[in-house]
Each structure stands twice: as structure tokens, then as C-alpha cells.
Amino acid sequence: MINSSGSTQVGDLPYVPYVAYNGTIPTGGNSLIQDLNVFYESGDIAWMLTSTALVLLMIPGVGFFYSGLARRKSALSLIWLSVMATAVTTFQWFFWGYSLAFSHEAGPFIGTLDNFGFHNVLAQPSVGSARIPDLMFAVYQGMFAAITVALAVGAVAERGRMFPCVVFMFVWTTIVYDPIACWTWNPHGWVYKLGGLDFAGGTPVHISSGSAALAYAYVLGKRSGFNTHVLNYRPHNVTHIVIGTVFLWVGWFGFNAGSALSANMRAIMAAVVTNLAACVGGITWCLVDSRLEGKWSTVGFCSGVVAGLVAITPGSGYVPPWAAIIYGACAGVGCNFATQLKFWMSADDTLDIFAVHAVGGVIGNLCTGLFASDYIAHLDGYTVIQGGWVNRHWIQLAIQLCDSVVGMTYSFCVSAAILFAMSFIGRWFPIFRLRVSKEEEEAGIDDVEIGEFAYDYVELIREVKPRDPAHAVDEVFEDGDDGASQRSHSQGTMMHPEKGMGRNSYPLRNLNREDMDHYHYQHEGVPGVGQAA
């Protein structure tokens, strides 16, 4: 509002004016007699709420990505695990996780229980940034914890039981994630004080989840038929992989740009380098894969995008745009070749979580030691760093390497200890058994553990072979398990009961129950799946 002298009075403007925080109590003030909003910019709060929602969107993205990579008989279980990780971790975060990671009186390795049950978590400036309150920081970081767990538990794919995995989620977040988050991001943490640079979770999120997944794979053991033609299949639903990648790509803007913890130029730069690294990572992975078959793999592109996003995560608030190209290229090549490590290590890392997330996180941490720039960090107006090698701060690379090695070792060893303890308990209490039986594995986790299916169809049939002169259906092969077809998206055929394979074979299509019944009735003269005898 402009007064008679032509000037505008602040009190007349249609927004709450910002004032410096002046509270002295843990909650930040008494909301009955104070307006606690005046300590924070509404734009910062709006951006952080948006970023929180974007990170939440990433979690079903992980589920779809993992589901598409697996076989259809276990597709739903991986989506279930992702959304369940959100629920379990959110409760753990409220219960004591946030306090263990981000309490104001934390030690160098773990926090206190001052904020148990979100006690006094309200309007006091957070330990992450004075620009947002504790409560905003708590809900935002809670999504980080949830997606980290969702990434790790993909290791149970196709052979792990659900209930023990849910227990593992709660225990792992408490013993592994919370301490690593504390020492990385809490100002009292030892890596933070050492000068480690991890903007959005290279070590707490990606290295820790990838290392935990490797430990889970070792303890569970290999799937039946590992390293044979039985498991030589391609992802069953590439569309799910693309959808999951899109969810992750969009959500990663909240993941990285949101880690600026306010709406400022640093957040914009983080968004720019995030998108650029993802694009270069996808292109690079495609180029590397094309040397093998001369094909431009959709799955390869999506894997490269995720690898680029993983690598840029620790450096997204520290590096200039040109460095993002190097991040993406290094991740596309490094993570691609790292997918072969599971054979060298004799670990059935079904979804290559270690290769993409742990290795990608290490690549990102080391690149940050090289390319972190002081002027990029100061785009928020207050962050001061010595930078990496581009600023002639040579020791930064060693600090980043130390952080990576310690985080990987801690996560792997403690995760393995948790799982071995649960496996030991499972000898007397079967409910804690980590793995399904061989027969249950053959039937599929969706059927055995959930009782629901991703597809309400009779299995996609690769071949229908005559068993005897009556031409009854002998076997139904899924995802190329018959050895004749090793690509889940390759062209299958349905054999005519009299003419067999050849020019008169019928092209394969999905058969629902009515289709199968009709096929049985027309060709065999016998009742089908849903018909009475």
C-alpha cells in the first residue's frame, strides 16, 4: 500500500514479514501468543514442501523400476516392498529415527533421544539450515530415509520373504542409516567436521543402500539356477522400467535441488546439473551397451539415467554445469562395467543395486572431491567451502574417499550382522526365515507371500508343447526359462496341436482365463482352467 508520501509501508503488504529468529525454547516459541511463521520465508517453506512430495514420488518409481527388471511372478512383491518401506521408515523416523540423526545435541556418530516421538520438533531452526524449521526438515529428511530403505530391500527380489524384510527395514534404518546420516549431515558429525562434501546423499543414501543390498544378496544366497540358462532372461516389463525411471528423474529434482533447503540460486544450479548428468549417463550407457549387440537398449538408457542421477547426488550443490557431463559419463561407463562385479564376487545381486548405487555413489563422491567449487556452494548466500581440486584444495579427494570407504564398510558389515542374527533366530522361529523354500521360489513371491498378482492373466506363454498324442498342454515357460527363448520380450509362438512349430505356428498373445478355456475346448475337447469337467 502506498501512503500519501508515495512510499510503501511493510505492514500493509499482503505477506508475513520475515524477522530473525529470537526464540529460546526447544519448540521455537508458543504458537498461542506468537506467530511462528515470521521467522521463515513462505517461498522457502513452499519449495521444501514441494521437494518433500517429489522425493515421495521417487519411492513408487523405485518399485516400478525394480518390478520391471524382475520376472512377472515376483513383480508385485517389489512394488509392495517399496511402498511398505515408506510406511515402516516413516514410523521409525517419527519414533526415534529423526532424533538419532538430527537432534541438536548429537555426538560425532549418533544423536540423542531428545526428539523421541517428534518431541519439541516444531519451529526452532533446523540443524540442516536456519532457513527452515525443525518440523519441515524432519518431514523432508524422512523421505530420504524411506527411499534409502526402498533401494536396499530390492535385494530380496524373487527369493526373500516379506515379514523378515519388514523387520530388517526398521532395524537397519535405526542402526545403519541414522548413524551415517548423523555423521554426514549433522553439524556435530565427524564427517561434517572433517570437511566431507555430500550435498544430497552419496554416502547415506546410495553407498549405504547398495552395500546393504550386497550383504542381503550374500546372506540370502543365490536364486535357483543362478548362472545358468534358467536365469538368462530379460526384464519382463520394459514399460514399467521407463515409468519408474520417469518418476525417479522427476522426483530427483526435489531430492537434489531440495537439498539446498531453501529457494535460492544454489537450488537452481543443483537442478541444472542433476538433469544434465542424467541425460549424459543415459546416452553413455546406451553407447557402451551398443558395442555388444548393436542395439539401442531402452533398459540400458534407463539404467544410465539412474546411474547419472546417483553420481551427481553428492556434488549437485557444489559443482558447475560442465562438471555434470563428466559425472554422467563416468557413471555411465563405471556402473555399466560394475554390473559384472556380481559374477566376480559370486553374489546374486539380482537388480544390480550395488553396481548402480554403491559404485555410482563412490564415483560421485570422488568427482566431488575433484570438481567442488567454492563459488557454486556460495550461491545460497551463506555456505563457505574450500572446494576440491579445481580450487587447489588437494586434501578434499582423500576426505571424500575416506567417507566412501567408511560408509560402505559400515553399511555392509552391520547389515550382514543384522541379517545373520535374523537368520539364526529363524532356526527356532520360522517367521524370521529370510528365504522362501525352493518350491515357493518356483511358484513366485507374489503367489506365496502376497496372494495377489501384478497381472490378472494366466502366465504369458512362451511355447505350448504337445505332451502326448492327446495333445494336452505340457509345460508353460515363463520369461525364457525354457532355454529356447532368453528374452522376455522376444517373439513367442503358440504351436498348432497337429502341425507343430513352423510356418503354421500362431503368434503369441496374452491369454486370460476365458481365452485359455476356449483354447482347451476348441483344440483338446477337454475342460479348461475355469470350466467344470
Side-chain angles (χ1 to χ4, degrees), residues 2-24:
I2 301 176
N3 60 22
S4 58
S5 63
S7 62
T8 302
Q9 297 181 5
V10 174
D12 295 328
L13 295 176
Y15 58 79
V16 178
Y18 172 80
V19 299
Y21 176 75
N22 56 15
T24 58

Side-chain angles (χ1 to χ4, degrees), residues 167 184 396:
V167 175
T184 303
Q396 191 63 52

Side-chain angles (χ1 to χ4, degrees), residues 136-471:
M136 181 71 261
F137 188 63
V139 67
Y140 178 65
Q141 284 294 336
M143 296 302 167
F144 275 62
I147 193 169
T148 304
V149 174
L151 290 171
V153 298
V156 309
E158 303 192 341
R159 63 201 188 279
R161 298 180 64 243
M162 301 291 102
F163 178 76
C165 189
V166 170
V167 175
F168 176 80
M169 292 175 186
F170 188 93
V171 177
W172 186 87
T173 309
T174 301
I175 301 178
V176 177
Y177 179 81
D178 293 344
I180 297 179
C182 178
W183 76 49
T184 303
W185 289 320
N186 196 307
H188 299 282
W190 69 269
V191 171
Y192 189 100
K193 289 184 175 180
L194 187 64
L197 301 178
D198 194 334
F199 191 66
T203 300
V205 176
H206 297 296
I207 292 178
S208 70
S209 62
S211 303
L214 182 64
Y216 216 136
Y218 270 125
V219 177
L220 273 182
K222 303 177 182 67
R223 289 168 294 168
S224 298
F226 179 75
N227 230 2
T228 69
H229 73 276
V230 174
L231 293 185
N232 188 17
Y233 65 88
R234 293 231 175 164
H236 92 278
N237 194 322
V238 180
T239 302
H240 274 189
I241 296 173
V242 175
I243 291 172
T245 301
V246 171
F247 280 13
L248 287 167
W249 199 337
V250 172
W252 226 291
F253 282 88
F255 195 78
N256 285 357
S259 292
L261 301 180
S262 63
N264 53 42
M265 285 295 299
R266 195 180 186 193
I268 299 172
M269 182 59 76
V272 170
V273 299
T274 295
N275 191 55
L276 190 54
C279 294
V280 175
I283 294 170
T284 303
W285 194 300
C286 257
L287 290 172
V288 174
D289 269 0
S290 68
R291 81 191 193 282
L292 300 175
E293 298 182 6
K295 306 292 185 182
W296 300 100
S297 169
T298 305
V299 177
F301 178 79
C302 292
S303 299
V305 167
V306 174
L309 291 167
V310 169
I312 196 62
T313 292
S316 53
Y318 297 113
V319 300
W322 59 263
I325 297 174
I326 302 175
Y327 275 82
C330 290
V333 174
C335 295
N336 185 298
F337 283 101
T339 59
Q340 302 304 309
L341 288 175
K342 61 185 178 185
F343 301 108
W344 178 71
M345 297 185 295
S346 191
D348 188 4
D349 183 11
T350 311
L351 306 176
D352 289 319
I353 303 171
F354 179 80
V356 174
H357 293 278
V359 174
V362 172
I363 291 173
N365 275 352
L366 298 181
C367 285
T368 302
L370 297 174
F371 305 117
S373 303
D374 51 5
Y375 78 97
I376 297 294
H378 200 64
L379 284 174
D380 58 12
Y382 54 85
T383 299
V384 177
I385 65 170
Q386 293 179 282
W389 280 25
V390 295
N391 287 132
R392 299 179 182 275
H393 186 228
W394 314 115
I395 194 65
Q396 191 63 52
L397 184 61
I399 295 173
Q400 299 298 110
L401 179 60
C402 173
D403 178 29
S404 302
V405 171
V406 173
M408 180 179 291
T409 304
Y410 180 80
S411 179
F412 179 83
C413 293
V414 178
S415 299
I418 295 170
L419 292 164
F420 276 124
M422 292 178 64
S423 181
F424 181 77
I425 295 172
R427 296 180 181 180
W428 289 273
F429 300 96
I431 194 172
F432 289 101
R433 258 191 318 112
L434 297 177
R435 181 167 178 158
V436 298
S437 67
K438 184 177 180 180
E439 294 74 21
E440 291 171 331
E441 181 182 346
E442 182 65 26
I445 302 300
D446 291 357
D447 187 9
V448 171
E449 288 286 301
I450 298 179
E452 298 166 342
F453 305 91
Y455 310 95
D456 190 19
Y457 285 86
V458 174
E459 297 291 351
L460 180 64
I461 298 175
R462 191 64 52 200
E463 293 182 8
V464 180
K465 298 180 179 179
R467 180 180 60 191
D468 51 41
H471 309 303

